[in-house]
Amino acid sequence: MGDIGELHDVVVVDLSTDLAGAYCAKLFSDSGAVVTRVEPPEGDPQRHQQWSGEPTIAGAPLFRYLRHGQRSVTATAGDPIIEELCRNADLVLTSGTGVAGHPSDMAARFSGTVVLSITPYGTTGPYADVPATEFTVQADSGAIALRGIRELPPFQMGGRIVEWVGGAYCGVAGLAAVRRSRATGFGEFIDLSLFEVANITATNFSDLFNSLGGRPMPDPAVPPRTVEIPSIEPTLDGWVGFNTNTRDQWESFCILIERPDLLEDGAFAMLGARIARADEWNALVREWTTQHTTADIVERAALLRIPVAPVADGRMILELDHPIERGVFIDDPLGEFKMPRRPFTLDGEPAPAPLPAPAPGVNNGDEVPTRSDRPTPSTATPELPLAGITVLDLTAWWAGPSSAAILAALGAEVIHIESTRRIDGMRTAGGAFYAKPQWWEYSAFFLQANTNKYDVTLDLDRPEGRTLALEIATRADIVIENFTPRVVEAFNMGWDVIHAINPKAIMVRMPAFGLSGPWRDRPGFAQTMEQITGLAWMTGHREDQPRIQRGPCDPNGGLHAAFAALVALQRRDRTGEGCLVEAPMFEAALAVAAEPVLEWSAHGLLVEREGNRSPYAAPQNLYACAGTEQWLAISCATDEQWRSLADVIGHGELALDPELATLSGRRKHHDRLDGLIADWASERALEETVELLISRGVPAAPSRDSRRVFEHPQVAARGYAEQVEHSVVGTHPTPGLPFRYASVAGWIRRPAPVLGEHNAEILGGWLGHTDEELAGLEEAGVIGNWPQGL
């Protein structure tokens, strides 16, 4: 299986023009699918794009990383080969209207084909045709305004992370629809919005939290941006990263820095208190960290089970023992640079060995790849793609639950397990609501990442609880967990046990650092992944320190695990046997943080943070408009957009300057251009300025307050935030998924469950245990609907 790839009979055609489409295509080709890249006769522009901004004649490392093992056909709009390729494909990727027309028309023409469109705002709604880049989308979605310290402007998440994670969403959405199409003959039109990807992955559900709090109006004079502390801290020889999501972790951190006195008064126990007294807190932390080396601190913190990591760049990550021992980085087929391997395995088998990226048009004239036969679709709307699939969800926090949640949204019946003795940790992320009688139901993270699920409480440390969990596992198609390996071993619920009781079950394990290697038992959260993979090194202002992105690595890890689960289902359809999926969060993060490693190993270029600038657009930055905290995002990704901007700001002569005629030239003169744009914007009203720029074809957006994004007209037009009625917290707008299926009206069928809500339904009605048995289990504390100790 590992030699040909699990998706070897899936046919994909990629007409897209953005990074998200390219990464989605890579996910498929890395699992063996036949992927044809359709590019213009002169070749895909991505072949020449590098972080330096200087185009290369040879194949750029990023292009080669994304396109290994794919086919290439060159064509222009109207060429018959495009129609033939699409008609014979399982999946077609496009960036909105392109060489094959509008994607919804394509879906209508190509019976049984899944057509997936990736655009900044989606193909419908009042913003569908607004010029945009990832930077302006981040700003408009609320993803920039909440990041940073008050002394400096807010900052973007570096490394085009929204497009990378958008590609992972496309992978799951596309493969699920292909699975259904192969079974029913029913094709699909999928419409993904990068604006929605940015909001759901990078705003920490600020708008939902604001709604839960009764919609207090934010003070426009008070910036919403913050940074986590402790987080990235200076050491004797570099930087080290922490996070303290739990009270236990924070208390262990106080022990680490030799300040047990902080535990007695509790003044800094809450994040809000640390932020309010940031100077004082940072001084006492750094008094200790700067006296120790990074390696020493990491070793000490790991012994205390504090999530910790060295803050790495593209050079350092290649030298760390854990990725070396696990063989995480592999050579490109020509041996010219290092790159991350596929971020999941099935039964420990390696992915197919990568083949070279294709030359432009190398497959012109070859036989067109043809998908397998399809049944004739019925006239009725089909069931959701994963209808009939049962998932035992043993995950907690955000990465694991988000993985199970997308499976639930796509139709699987997902049973989430937690215990009254140890509730899902993400339920505690609603600190502002601790005065509420059932405060654990008020976490926006939990409310979003657990929609459509059942909730059963089982104490897995007790034999009775474990037995009941295994009863569910015997009926499950997928068992998914994200503990550190030692926890599953303590429960005695590893792959050998699951496979013995249910040979058809797929077990998805997503420990932070994998099932082997020197870091296997270390805990890790999104912050940890951002610190260690280079994402933090790409994020923040140059004059400040590296900063974490605060979120995207959780759903990113979940999406890669969900994609791997769908690949495993494809294998099971063929073999009849379940398998073990290993999908470490660390490797999922490395897969989308590839550029620092690619650039260092290929060119010796150390990728650094650039504030709000970009290697792929110039000028690009936030500019202060008239008033307080009125930040204007501008991003010129093309020469034409630059010429329009120069004219709008009253400097049309700059459009004729040969030194500014190219992206690399504008990058060299960015400081001067920033000064001109800042002077022009400083006395202007923000909203009027955005409208002016957009009308002239310049990507622009306000840096929108994340607590009010659901007022955005595009949100209402696309139904992105669905009104969900919850028995405890009431009715609130809740994000579903950042893509639409034409056949699905909405993604949320049930609200996130209250604690233990479905004990009787699942343990009694489904498994058949009597009321008397359930009463005895509740009395013994094995099950329940109220946290113990409260």
Side-chain angles (χ1 to χ4, degrees):
M1 291 293 180
D3 293 331
I4 59 173
E6 299 83 4
L7 303 184
H8 68 275
D9 57 351
V10 174
V11 178
V12 179
V13 173
D14 185 8
L15 309 176
S16 69
T17 58
D18 54 24
L19 175 61
Y23 187 60
C24 178
K26 173 180 171 57
L27 286 171
F28 277 87
S29 59
D30 279 357
S31 293
V34 179
V35 177
T36 300
R37 173 67 176 135
V38 178
E39 48 188 325
E42 65 274 17
D44 186 337
Q46 291 179 336
R47 289 181 176 273
H48 313 294
Q49 294 176 348
Q50 302 189 109
W51 190 274
S52 67
E54 296 289 345
T56 177
I57 297 174
L62 177 59
F63 176 85
R64 289 159 60 182
Y65 170 66
L66 294 167
R67 298 297 182 185
H68 284 130
Q70 298 180 15
R71 304 172 73 253
S72 172
V73 169
T74 55
T76 59
D79 286 354
I81 187 61
I82 296 177
E83 288 285 299
E84 188 176 1
L85 284 165
C86 294
R87 186 175 297 109
N88 286 284
D90 290 286
L91 174 67
V92 176
L93 305 174
T94 183
S95 299
T97 300
V99 293
H102 192 280
S104 63
D105 296 337
M106 293 166 60
R109 290 203 312 275
F110 306 133
S111 177
T113 298
V114 176
V115 177
L116 197 163
S117 169
I118 308 149
T119 57
Y121 287 96
T123 63
T124 60
Y127 278 59
D129 297 320
V130 166
T133 68
E134 160 150 341
F135 180 65
T136 61
V137 161
Q138 281 197 34
D140 209 15
S141 71
I144 291 181
L146 78 168
R147 288 175 168 78
I149 58 176
R150 295 188 181 186
E151 294 79 9
L152 293 170
F155 55 77
Q156 67 175 330
M157 300 175 295
R160 296 190 289 176
I161 189 65
V162 172
E163 288 198 64
W164 286 102
V165 179
Y169 269 111
C170 290
V172 177
L175 185 51
V178 166
R179 174 181 171 81
R180 181 176 69 178
S181 176
R182 291 160 70 99
T184 67
F186 194 94
E188 186 61 85
F189 168 44
I190 306 174
D191 185 6
L192 180 129
S193 159
L194 292 170
F195 168 84
E196 293 168 14
V197 172
N199 181 269
I200 202 170
T201 62
T203 65
N204 295 326
F205 303 111
S206 298
D207 204 307
L208 179 51
F209 269 121
N210 185 258
S211 181
L212 290 164
R215 289 265 178 233
M217 183 62 69
D219 184 345
V222 178
R225 57 187 176 275
T226 61
V227 294
E228 287 188 20
I229 49 177
S231 182
I232 295 176
E233 309 295 345
T235 69
L236 191 61
D237 59 353
W239 299 92
V240 68
F242 306 100
N243 73 282
T244 53
N245 285 350
T246 70
R247 181 62 178 257
D248 286 346
Q249 289 165 355
W250 179 78
E251 291 177 352
S252 294
F253 181 81
C254 294
I255 301 299
L256 172 72
I257 64 172
E258 301 174 18
R259 290 298 301 270
D261 56 296
L262 298 176
L263 303 177
E264 298 173 6
D265 60 30
F268 290 109
M270 301 299 293
L271 176 60
R274 298 196 290 276
I275 291 173
R277 300 166 60 184
D279 289 345
E280 182 182 353
W281 169 263
N282 287 337
L284 66 88
V285 169
R286 294 171 183 185
E287 182 181 4
W288 186 85
T289 61
T290 55
Q291 302 303 309
H292 299 269
T293 65
T294 300
D296 179 37
I297 293 172
V298 168
E299 183 178 358
R300 293 177 184 228
L303 291 173
L304 292 169
R305 301 206 54 75
I306 302 167
V308 64
V311 180
D313 56 29
R315 174 183 54 195
M316 293 166 56
I317 189 70
L318 289 167
E319 300 169 353
L320 295 174
D321 59 347
H322 185 76
I324 289 173
E325 184 167 319
R326 282 181 57 84
V328 167
F329 295 107
I330 59 176
D331 291 324
D332 95 291
L334 301 182
E336 295 179 355
F337 57 85
K338 294 287 187 180
M339 61 184 186
R341 67 181 181 185
R342 186 178 75 171
F344 61 87
T345 61
L346 274 63
D347 284 337
E349 299 168 0
L355 300 173
V362 69
N363 299 107
N364 289 352
D366 289 359
E367 183 178 352
V368 171
T370 302
R371 70 191 184 200
S372 59
D373 291 337
R374 293 285 187 278
T376 301
S378 68
T379 57
T381 301
E383 292 185 299
L384 289 167
L386 299 184
I389 297 294
T390 298
V391 178
L392 174 57
D393 175 11
L394 299 172
T395 67
W397 294 96
W398 191 10
S402 71
S403 186
I406 197 169
L407 301 178
L410 290 167
E413 297 292 343
V414 176
I415 302 166
H416 179 58
I417 304 296
E418 50 186 326
S419 78
T420 58
R421 190 166 58 87
R422 188 180 295 110
I423 61 176
D424 185 333
M426 199 51 93
R427 287 187 180 274
T428 67
F433 303 102
Y434 283 163
K436 299 278 188 182
Q438 290 176 261
W439 57 263
W440 55 88
E441 303 294 352
Y442 281 80
S443 166
F445 287 95
F446 187 90
L447 290 169
Q448 194 281 330
N450 290 281
T451 53
N452 300 313
K453 297 182 185 180
Y454 299 92
D455 192 271
V456 172
T457 52
L458 293 174
D459 187 345
L460 299 181
D461 287 319
R462 302 274 294 275
E464 306 96 315
R466 176 181 178 274
T467 297
L468 289 167
L470 292 178
E471 284 186 39
I472 299 172
T474 62
R475 304 186 183 197
D477 298 281
I478 298 171
V479 178
I480 183 169
E481 61 85 18
N482 67 334
F483 300 110
T484 55
R486 66 181 185 83
V487 174
V488 175
E489 292 161 4
F491 291 152
N492 192 22
M493 291 183 62
W495 167 238
D496 55 342
V497 174
I498 298 300
H499 189 58
I501 64 172
N502 185 354
K504 291 190 174 183
I506 294 161
M507 187 172 193
V508 180
R509 301 194 62 181
M510 32 185 317
F513 293 106
L515 298 174
S516 64
W519 303 353
R520 74 181 291 270
D521 287 319
R522 290 186 187 178
F525 292 81
Q527 301 96 319
T528 320
M529 304 307 140
E530 293 158 11
Q531 291 157 358
I532 198 169
T533 59
L535 288 171
W537 209 262
M538 292 188 281
T539 300
H541 295 288
R542 281 183 173 178
E543 63 268 39
D544 189 30
Q545 65 178 70
R547 296 289 184 181
I548 59 171
Q549 297 184 338
R550 297 182 70 184
C553 279
D554 270 322
N556 179 68
L559 287 164
H560 283 83
F563 184 82
L566 294 174
V567 171
L569 282 174
Q570 193 86 355
R571 171 188 277 201
R572 192 184 72 169
D573 291 345
R574 197 159 52 241
T575 67
E577 285 285 316
C579 64
L580 171 65
V581 174
E582 183 184 0
M585 196 175 173
F586 175 58
E587 295 183 34
L590 284 173
V592 302
E595 282 188 272
V597 167
L598 301 177
E599 291 289 348
W600 174 258
S601 59
H603 304 306
L605 175 65
L606 193 62
V607 168
E608 302 274 6
R609 57 194 177 279
E610 295 191 62
N612 287 312
R613 295 180 181 179
S614 168
Y616 304 105
Q620 173 176 296
N621 219 325
L622 287 186
Y623 304 95
C625 284
T628 303
E629 292 293 317
Q630 298 292 291
W631 297 104
L632 167 67
I634 295 177
S635 176
C636 294
T638 68
D639 298 340
E640 181 181 3
Q641 290 166 356
W642 154 243
R643 290 190 291 269
S644 292
L645 175 63
D647 186 56
V648 170
I649 67 174
H651 287 280
E653 75 282 359
L654 295 178
L656 304 177
D657 186 339
E659 292 193 16
L660 303 177
T662 63
L663 170 65
S664 60
R666 294 191 294 277
R667 292 263 290 162
K668 291 174 184 175
H669 293 274
H670 213 305
D671 288 345
R672 177 162 67 97
L673 297 179
D674 273 349
L676 295 172
I677 300 167
D679 288 345
W680 172 79
S682 63
E683 301 301 322
R684 301 184 59 89
L686 176 58
E687 294 296 337
E688 293 174 5
T689 304
V690 170
E691 291 177 9
L692 171 63
L693 291 165
I694 287 174
S695 72
R696 298 292 298 274
V698 178
S703 180
R704 199 176 295 271
D705 190 324
S706 60
R707 295 165 293 185
R708 311 295 294 190
V709 172
F710 292 171
E711 297 171 354
H712 196 296
Q714 188 70 358
V715 171
R718 285 177 57 84
Y720 162 64
E722 303 180 35
Q723 292 293 330
V724 177
E725 183 180 355
H726 186 277
S727 61
V728 174
V729 306
T731 301
H732 298 278
T734 305
L737 293 175
F739 55 82
R740 304 284 169 278
Y741 275 24
S743 64
V744 178
W747 292 114
I748 301 178
R749 302 179 300 280
R750 287 195 307 271
V754 300
L755 185 67
E757 179 176 351
H758 302 101
N759 286 346
E761 183 175 348
I762 299 299
L763 303 179
W766 192 50
L767 293 183
H769 292 279
T770 66
D771 292 344
E772 291 76 13
E773 288 178 287
L774 298 184
L777 291 167
E778 185 165 0
E779 184 176 357
V782 176
I783 67 174
N785 58 14
W786 201 268
Q788 292 185 31
L790 295 179

